[in-house]
Amino acid sequence: MKFSTFSLLFTNFVTASAFAPSLIGSRLSTHLDARKPFISGNWKLNPQTKEEAVTLASEIAAQVTESTPDADLALFVPYVFIETTMQAVGGKLQIGAEGVCPEIKGAFTGAVSTSMLDSVGVQWALAGHSERRVIFGETDEYINGQCLKLMEQGMSVMLCIGESESEYEANLAGAVCAVQLKKGLKGISKEDMSRVAIAYEPVWAIGTGKVATPEVAQSVHATCRKILAEMYDQETADATRILYGGSVTPDSIDELMKQPDIDGALVGGASLDSAKFGRIINFQV
């Protein structure tokens, strides 16, 4: 993997086109063109100090070598660690935010706006993670507001979707994902979809150690792509990267990445271990 492009992007505080989907790659997909893999980590409420964040980011960056697969790489980190982790990774990975406020300024204590993130070089932010939906009560409308504000700022969003265990057992995964996609992406144009990635995270697999089989994950990803084709068109659906999240490990990544509609991973716990995340970054297909 070459680093000069990443370094240049960070030197210039990356443009809105950073990490837009690439149609050049080695894997076969559901269409004639392949999407560039996207491997990302979500640190959540970790680690506990700036020093620990710098050490972890540095150790992860060291795992990115010339032999690393040609993939976009990112870490979504707590706001307070964004600038220090950017420096620590030396341009080898993109640094994104774990969330954003859909308001741009005003009396919103504790909020962080898109313009604030943009001003320090952030181009990607998460929206719709199940923990934000369940624990913090963020609605589909609020999440849509986050997505729209990121588009307005010229930034990019990773929209997280996924069903609960009871919904999965009731065979409602496709229906739940359809609702979350349609509500989350409301008002986002076909042209802006080049700055959108989808992360399918079955809620029952997040932090539980459970993981959907590659075949189950592939089936839901294919359904999501069909939904995107209905919302936009087949070209847009084929170009949109859909990542899998939910207890992704070094043991599961290779088989997941062999699936035609799985374009990467949003990794939680394993991204806090540089050796484990390094193995995931260096997936083998």
Short mmCIF file of all heavy atoms in Angstrom, two decimals, residues 187-235:
data_model
loop_
_atom_site.label_atom_id
_atom_site.label_comp_id
_atom_site.label_asym_id
_atom_site.label_seq_id
_atom_site.Cartn_x
_atom_site.Cartn_y
_atom_site.Cartn_z
N GLY A 187 -33.85 12.58 1.11
CA GLY A 187 -33.34 13.88 0.69
C GLY A 187 -31.92 13.87 0.17
O GLY A 187 -31.41 14.90 -0.28
N ILE A 188 -31.26 12.73 0.23
CA ILE A 188 -29.90 12.62 -0.29
C ILE A 188 -29.96 12.22 -1.77
O ILE A 188 -30.57 11.21 -2.12
CB ILE A 188 -29.06 11.62 0.51
CG1 ILE A 188 -28.86 12.16 1.93
CG2 ILE A 188 -27.71 11.35 -0.15
CD1 ILE A 188 -28.03 11.28 2.83
N SER A 189 -29.33 13.00 -2.59
CA SER A 189 -29.41 12.79 -4.04
C SER A 189 -28.54 11.65 -4.51
O SER A 189 -27.65 11.19 -3.80
CB SER A 189 -28.99 14.07 -4.77
OG SER A 189 -27.59 14.30 -4.58
N LYS A 190 -28.80 11.21 -5.71
CA LYS A 190 -27.97 10.18 -6.34
C LYS A 190 -26.52 10.63 -6.39
O LYS A 190 -25.60 9.85 -6.13
CB LYS A 190 -28.49 9.88 -7.74
CG LYS A 190 -27.59 8.98 -8.56
CD LYS A 190 -28.12 8.78 -9.97
CE LYS A 190 -27.15 7.98 -10.82
NZ LYS A 190 -27.67 7.74 -12.19
N GLU A 191 -26.31 11.90 -6.71
CA GLU A 191 -24.95 12.42 -6.82
C GLU A 191 -24.24 12.41 -5.46
O GLU A 191 -23.03 12.11 -5.39
CB GLU A 191 -24.99 13.86 -7.36
CG GLU A 191 -25.42 13.98 -8.82
CD GLU A 191 -26.91 13.69 -9.04
OE1 GLU A 191 -27.71 13.90 -8.09
OE2 GLU A 191 -27.28 13.24 -10.16
N ASP A 192 -24.96 12.69 -4.40
CA ASP A 192 -24.35 12.71 -3.07
C ASP A 192 -24.07 11.31 -2.53
O ASP A 192 -23.31 11.15 -1.57
CB ASP A 192 -25.24 13.46 -2.08
CG ASP A 192 -25.13 14.96 -2.21
OD1 ASP A 192 -24.12 15.42 -2.78
OD2 ASP A 192 -26.04 15.67 -1.76
N MET A 193 -24.66 10.29 -3.14
CA MET A 193 -24.43 8.92 -2.66
C MET A 193 -22.98 8.49 -2.83
O MET A 193 -22.55 7.51 -2.22
CB MET A 193 -25.35 7.95 -3.39
CG MET A 193 -26.78 7.97 -2.87
SD MET A 193 -26.92 7.49 -1.12
CE MET A 193 -26.45 5.76 -1.21
N SER A 194 -22.20 9.20 -3.62
CA SER A 194 -20.78 8.88 -3.73
C SER A 194 -20.04 9.18 -2.44
O SER A 194 -18.91 8.73 -2.24
CB SER A 194 -20.14 9.68 -4.87
OG SER A 194 -20.18 11.08 -4.60
N ARG A 195 -20.70 9.91 -1.51
CA ARG A 195 -20.10 10.24 -0.22
C ARG A 195 -20.80 9.53 0.93
O ARG A 195 -20.72 9.95 2.07
CB ARG A 195 -20.09 11.76 -0.02
CG ARG A 195 -19.17 12.48 -0.97
CD ARG A 195 -19.07 13.96 -0.70
NE ARG A 195 -20.22 14.70 -1.19
CZ ARG A 195 -21.06 15.41 -0.42
NH1 ARG A 195 -20.86 15.47 0.88
NH2 ARG A 195 -22.07 16.05 -0.95
N VAL A 196 -21.48 8.44 0.59
CA VAL A 196 -22.20 7.66 1.59
C VAL A 196 -21.72 6.21 1.57
O VAL A 196 -21.55 5.62 0.50
CB VAL A 196 -23.72 7.68 1.32
CG1 VAL A 196 -24.45 6.75 2.29
CG2 VAL A 196 -24.27 9.10 1.43
N ALA A 197 -21.46 5.66 2.75
CA ALA A 197 -21.22 4.23 2.89
C ALA A 197 -22.26 3.70 3.87
O ALA A 197 -22.74 4.44 4.74
CB ALA A 197 -19.81 3.95 3.41
N ILE A 198 -22.64 2.45 3.72
CA ILE A 198 -23.61 1.83 4.61
C ILE A 198 -22.90 0.78 5.46
O ILE A 198 -22.06 0.03 4.94
CB ILE A 198 -24.74 1.15 3.81
CG1 ILE A 198 -25.39 2.13 2.83
CG2 ILE A 198 -25.77 0.54 4.75
CD1 ILE A 198 -26.03 3.33 3.48
N ALA A 199 -23.21 0.74 6.73
CA ALA A 199 -22.66 -0.30 7.60
C ALA A 199 -23.83 -1.11 8.15
O ALA A 199 -24.64 -0.59 8.93
CB ALA A 199 -21.85 0.31 8.74
N TYR A 200 -23.92 -2.37 7.72
CA TYR A 200 -24.95 -3.26 8.26
C TYR A 200 -24.41 -3.90 9.52
O TYR A 200 -23.43 -4.66 9.49
CB TYR A 200 -25.33 -4.34 7.24
CG TYR A 200 -26.14 -5.47 7.87
CD1 TYR A 200 -27.37 -5.20 8.47
CD2 TYR A 200 -25.65 -6.76 7.90
CE1 TYR A 200 -28.10 -6.22 9.08
CE2 TYR A 200 -26.38 -7.80 8.50
CZ TYR A 200 -27.60 -7.51 9.09
OH TYR A 200 -28.31 -8.50 9.70
N GLU A 201 -25.04 -3.59 10.64
CA GLU A 201 -24.62 -4.13 11.94
C GLU A 201 -25.82 -4.75 12.64
O GLU A 201 -26.62 -4.04 13.26
CB GLU A 201 -24.05 -3.01 12.81
CG GLU A 201 -22.78 -2.38 12.28
CD GLU A 201 -22.11 -1.52 13.33
OE1 GLU A 201 -22.75 -0.54 13.77
OE2 GLU A 201 -20.99 -1.82 13.73
N PRO A 202 -25.98 -6.06 12.54
CA PRO A 202 -27.07 -6.69 13.29
C PRO A 202 -26.87 -6.44 14.78
O PRO A 202 -25.82 -6.77 15.33
CB PRO A 202 -26.93 -8.18 12.94
CG PRO A 202 -25.51 -8.33 12.46
CD PRO A 202 -25.15 -7.03 11.82
N VAL A 203 -27.85 -5.83 15.41
CA VAL A 203 -27.71 -5.40 16.80
C VAL A 203 -27.37 -6.58 17.70
O VAL A 203 -26.59 -6.45 18.66
CB VAL A 203 -29.01 -4.71 17.28
CG1 VAL A 203 -28.88 -4.29 18.74
CG2 VAL A 203 -29.31 -3.50 16.40
N TRP A 204 -27.91 -7.74 17.40
CA TRP A 204 -27.67 -8.91 18.23
C TRP A 204 -26.24 -9.40 18.17
O TRP A 204 -25.83 -10.23 18.98
CB TRP A 204 -28.63 -10.04 17.82
CG TRP A 204 -28.67 -10.32 16.35
CD1 TRP A 204 -29.49 -9.75 15.42
CD2 TRP A 204 -27.84 -11.25 15.63
NE1 TRP A 204 -29.22 -10.25 14.16
CE2 TRP A 204 -28.22 -11.17 14.27
CE3 TRP A 204 -26.82 -12.12 16.01
CZ2 TRP A 204 -27.61 -11.93 13.27
CZ3 TRP A 204 -26.21 -12.89 15.02
CH2 TRP A 204 -26.61 -12.79 13.68
N ALA A 205 -25.44 -8.89 17.23
CA ALA A 205 -24.05 -9.33 17.10
C ALA A 205 -23.05 -8.31 17.62
O ALA A 205 -21.86 -8.60 17.70
CB ALA A 205 -23.74 -9.65 15.64
N ILE A 206 -23.52 -7.12 17.98
CA ILE A 206 -22.60 -6.06 18.40
C ILE A 206 -22.17 -6.28 19.84
O ILE A 206 -22.98 -6.24 20.77
CB ILE A 206 -23.24 -4.67 18.25
CG1 ILE A 206 -23.60 -4.42 16.78
CG2 ILE A 206 -22.31 -3.59 18.75
CD1 ILE A 206 -24.35 -3.13 16.56
N GLY A 207 -20.88 -6.51 20.03
CA GLY A 207 -20.33 -6.66 21.37
C GLY A 207 -20.73 -7.93 22.08
O GLY A 207 -20.44 -8.09 23.27
N THR A 208 -21.39 -8.85 21.38
CA THR A 208 -21.86 -10.08 22.03
C THR A 208 -20.96 -11.26 21.76
O THR A 208 -21.08 -12.30 22.41
CB THR A 208 -23.27 -10.44 21.52
OG1 THR A 208 -23.19 -10.72 20.11
CG2 THR A 208 -24.24 -9.29 21.75
N GLY A 209 -20.06 -11.10 20.80
CA GLY A 209 -19.23 -12.23 20.40
C GLY A 209 -19.90 -13.06 19.32
O GLY A 209 -19.27 -13.90 18.68
N LYS A 210 -21.21 -12.83 19.11
CA LYS A 210 -21.92 -13.52 18.05
C LYS A 210 -21.61 -12.83 16.72
O LYS A 210 -21.37 -11.63 16.68
CB LYS A 210 -23.43 -13.46 18.29
CG LYS A 210 -23.91 -14.11 19.57
CD LYS A 210 -25.41 -13.96 19.72
CE LYS A 210 -25.92 -14.57 21.01
NZ LYS A 210 -27.40 -14.39 21.16
N VAL A 211 -21.60 -13.58 15.67
CA VAL A 211 -21.37 -12.99 14.36
C VAL A 211 -22.25 -13.71 13.35
O VAL A 211 -22.40 -14.93 13.40
CB VAL A 211 -19.88 -13.07 13.94
CG1 VAL A 211 -19.41 -14.51 13.87
CG2 VAL A 211 -19.63 -12.35 12.63
N ALA A 212 -22.87 -12.94 12.49
CA ALA A 212 -23.67 -13.56 11.44
C ALA A 212 -22.75 -14.38 10.55
O ALA A 212 -21.61 -13.99 10.30
CB ALA A 212 -24.37 -12.48 10.62
N THR A 213 -23.21 -15.51 10.09
CA THR A 213 -22.39 -16.29 9.17
C THR A 213 -22.16 -15.47 7.91
O THR A 213 -22.97 -14.58 7.58
CB THR A 213 -23.08 -17.60 8.79
OG1 THR A 213 -24.27 -17.30 8.04
CG2 THR A 213 -23.44 -18.43 10.03
N PRO A 214 -21.08 -15.70 7.20
CA PRO A 214 -20.85 -14.97 5.96
C PRO A 214 -22.03 -15.05 5.01
O PRO A 214 -22.36 -14.07 4.33
CB PRO A 214 -19.60 -15.65 5.39
CG PRO A 214 -18.88 -16.16 6.59
CD PRO A 214 -19.97 -16.61 7.53
N GLU A 215 -22.69 -16.20 4.99
CA GLU A 215 -23.82 -16.39 4.09
C GLU A 215 -25.01 -15.53 4.51
O GLU A 215 -25.69 -14.92 3.66
CB GLU A 215 -24.22 -17.86 4.04
CG GLU A 215 -23.19 -18.80 3.42
CD GLU A 215 -21.99 -19.05 4.34
OE1 GLU A 215 -22.12 -18.85 5.57
OE2 GLU A 215 -20.93 -19.44 3.80
N VAL A 216 -25.27 -15.46 5.83
CA VAL A 216 -26.36 -14.62 6.32
C VAL A 216 -26.06 -13.15 6.06
O VAL A 216 -26.92 -12.38 5.60
CB VAL A 216 -26.60 -14.86 7.83
CG1 VAL A 216 -27.52 -13.79 8.42
CG2 VAL A 216 -27.19 -16.24 8.06
N ALA A 217 -24.83 -12.74 6.37
CA ALA A 217 -24.44 -11.35 6.14
C ALA A 217 -24.55 -11.00 4.66
O ALA A 217 -25.06 -9.93 4.30
CB ALA A 217 -23.01 -11.12 6.64
N GLN A 218 -24.08 -11.87 3.79
CA GLN A 218 -24.16 -11.65 2.35
C GLN A 218 -25.60 -11.48 1.90
O GLN A 218 -25.93 -10.60 1.10
CB GLN A 218 -23.50 -12.80 1.59
CG GLN A 218 -23.86 -12.93 0.12
CD GLN A 218 -23.55 -11.70 -0.71
OE1 GLN A 218 -22.65 -10.92 -0.37
NE2 GLN A 218 -24.28 -11.51 -1.80
N SER A 219 -26.49 -12.30 2.44
CA SER A 219 -27.89 -12.23 2.05
C SER A 219 -28.49 -10.86 2.40
O SER A 219 -29.20 -10.26 1.57
CB SER A 219 -28.68 -13.34 2.75
OG SER A 219 -30.06 -13.23 2.48
N VAL A 220 -28.19 -10.36 3.60
CA VAL A 220 -28.74 -9.07 4.01
C VAL A 220 -28.10 -7.95 3.20
O VAL A 220 -28.77 -6.99 2.78
CB VAL A 220 -28.55 -8.83 5.51
CG1 VAL A 220 -29.10 -7.47 5.91
CG2 VAL A 220 -29.23 -9.93 6.32
N HIS A 221 -26.81 -8.05 2.94
CA HIS A 221 -26.13 -7.04 2.12
C HIS A 221 -26.74 -6.97 0.73
O HIS A 221 -26.94 -5.88 0.17
CB HIS A 221 -24.63 -7.34 2.03
CG HIS A 221 -23.86 -6.89 3.23
ND1 HIS A 221 -22.72 -6.10 3.14
CD2 HIS A 221 -24.05 -7.09 4.55
CE1 HIS A 221 -22.25 -5.85 4.35
NE2 HIS A 221 -23.04 -6.46 5.23
N ALA A 222 -27.01 -8.13 0.15
CA ALA A 222 -27.63 -8.18 -1.18
C ALA A 222 -29.01 -7.53 -1.15
O ALA A 222 -29.40 -6.81 -2.09
CB ALA A 222 -27.72 -9.62 -1.67
N THR A 223 -29.75 -7.77 -0.06
CA THR A 223 -31.06 -7.14 0.09
C THR A 223 -30.93 -5.63 0.19
O THR A 223 -31.70 -4.88 -0.43
CB THR A 223 -31.76 -7.68 1.35
OG1 THR A 223 -31.98 -9.08 1.20
CG2 THR A 223 -33.09 -6.98 1.59
N CYS A 224 -29.95 -5.16 0.95
CA CYS A 224 -29.72 -3.72 1.07
C CYS A 224 -29.37 -3.10 -0.28
O CYS A 224 -29.83 -2.00 -0.61
CB CYS A 224 -28.61 -3.45 2.08
SG CYS A 224 -29.04 -3.81 3.80
N ARG A 225 -28.59 -3.80 -1.06
CA ARG A 225 -28.22 -3.27 -2.37
C ARG A 225 -29.44 -3.20 -3.29
O ARG A 225 -29.60 -2.26 -4.08
CB ARG A 225 -27.11 -4.12 -3.00
CG ARG A 225 -26.29 -3.33 -4.02
CD ARG A 225 -25.08 -4.10 -4.51
NE ARG A 225 -24.15 -4.48 -3.47
CZ ARG A 225 -23.30 -3.65 -2.87
NH1 ARG A 225 -23.28 -2.36 -3.21
NH2 ARG A 225 -22.47 -4.08 -1.93
N LYS A 226 -30.32 -4.18 -3.17
CA LYS A 226 -31.56 -4.17 -3.95
C LYS A 226 -32.43 -2.99 -3.55
O LYS A 226 -33.04 -2.33 -4.41
CB LYS A 226 -32.32 -5.48 -3.73
CG LYS A 226 -33.62 -5.58 -4.51
CD LYS A 226 -34.31 -6.90 -4.25
CE LYS A 226 -35.64 -6.99 -5.00
NZ LYS A 226 -36.34 -8.27 -4.74
N ILE A 227 -32.47 -2.71 -2.24
CA ILE A 227 -33.25 -1.57 -1.75
C ILE A 227 -32.68 -0.26 -2.30
O ILE A 227 -33.43 0.62 -2.73
CB ILE A 227 -33.26 -1.55 -0.21
CG1 ILE A 227 -34.01 -2.77 0.32
CG2 ILE A 227 -33.90 -0.26 0.32
CD1 ILE A 227 -33.80 -3.02 1.80
N LEU A 228 -31.36 -0.14 -2.31
CA LEU A 228 -30.73 1.06 -2.85
C LEU A 228 -31.04 1.22 -4.33
O LEU A 228 -31.23 2.35 -4.82
CB LEU A 228 -29.21 1.01 -2.63
CG LEU A 228 -28.73 1.14 -1.18
CD1 LEU A 228 -27.23 0.88 -1.10
CD2 LEU A 228 -29.06 2.52 -0.62
N ALA A 229 -31.09 0.11 -5.06
CA ALA A 229 -31.43 0.17 -6.49
C ALA A 229 -32.85 0.67 -6.68
O ALA A 229 -33.14 1.43 -7.62
CB ALA A 229 -31.25 -1.21 -7.12
N GLU A 230 -33.74 0.27 -5.79
CA GLU A 230 -35.13 0.73 -5.87
C GLU A 230 -35.24 2.20 -5.49
O GLU A 230 -36.06 2.94 -6.06
CB GLU A 230 -36.00 -0.11 -4.93
CG GLU A 230 -36.12 -1.58 -5.35
CD GLU A 230 -36.78 -2.44 -4.30
OE1 GLU A 230 -37.01 -1.93 -3.17
OE2 GLU A 230 -37.05 -3.63 -4.58
N MET A 231 -34.41 2.65 -4.55
CA MET A 231 -34.44 4.04 -4.12
C MET A 231 -33.81 4.97 -5.15
O MET A 231 -34.26 6.11 -5.34
CB MET A 231 -33.70 4.19 -2.78
CG MET A 231 -34.37 3.51 -1.60
SD MET A 231 -33.32 3.56 -0.11
CE MET A 231 -33.16 5.33 0.14
N TYR A 232 -32.75 4.52 -5.76
CA TYR A 232 -31.99 5.33 -6.71
C TYR A 232 -32.01 4.66 -8.09
O TYR A 232 -32.92 4.85 -8.86
CB TYR A 232 -30.57 5.54 -6.20
CG TYR A 232 -30.52 6.33 -4.91
CD1 TYR A 232 -30.41 5.68 -3.68
CD2 TYR A 232 -30.59 7.72 -4.91
CE1 TYR A 232 -30.39 6.40 -2.48
CE2 TYR A 232 -30.57 8.45 -3.72
CZ TYR A 232 -30.47 7.78 -2.51
OH TYR A 232 -30.44 8.50 -1.34
N ASP A 233 -31.00 3.87 -8.37
CA ASP A 233 -30.94 3.06 -9.57
C ASP A 233 -29.86 2.01 -9.38
O ASP A 233 -29.14 2.02 -8.38
CB ASP A 233 -30.68 3.90 -10.83
CG ASP A 233 -29.43 4.78 -10.72
OD1 ASP A 233 -28.44 4.35 -10.07
OD2 ASP A 233 -29.43 5.89 -11.26
N GLN A 234 -29.74 1.09 -10.32
CA GLN A 234 -28.78 -0.01 -10.16
C GLN A 234 -27.35 0.48 -10.14
O GLN A 234 -26.51 -0.04 -9.41
CB GLN A 234 -28.96 -1.04 -11.29
CG GLN A 234 -28.25 -2.36 -11.02
CD GLN A 234 -28.78 -3.07 -9.79
OE1 GLN A 234 -29.99 -3.27 -9.66
NE2 GLN A 234 -27.90 -3.43 -8.86
N GLU A 235 -27.05 1.49 -10.94
CA GLU A 235 -25.69 2.04 -10.98
C GLU A 235 -25.27 2.57 -9.61
O GLU A 235 -24.16 2.30 -9.14
CB GLU A 235 -25.61 3.16 -12.02
CG GLU A 235 -24.24 3.80 -12.12
CD GLU A 235 -24.21 4.97 -13.07
OE1 GLU A 235 -25.28 5.48 -13.45
OE2 GLU A 235 -23.09 5.39 -13.46
#
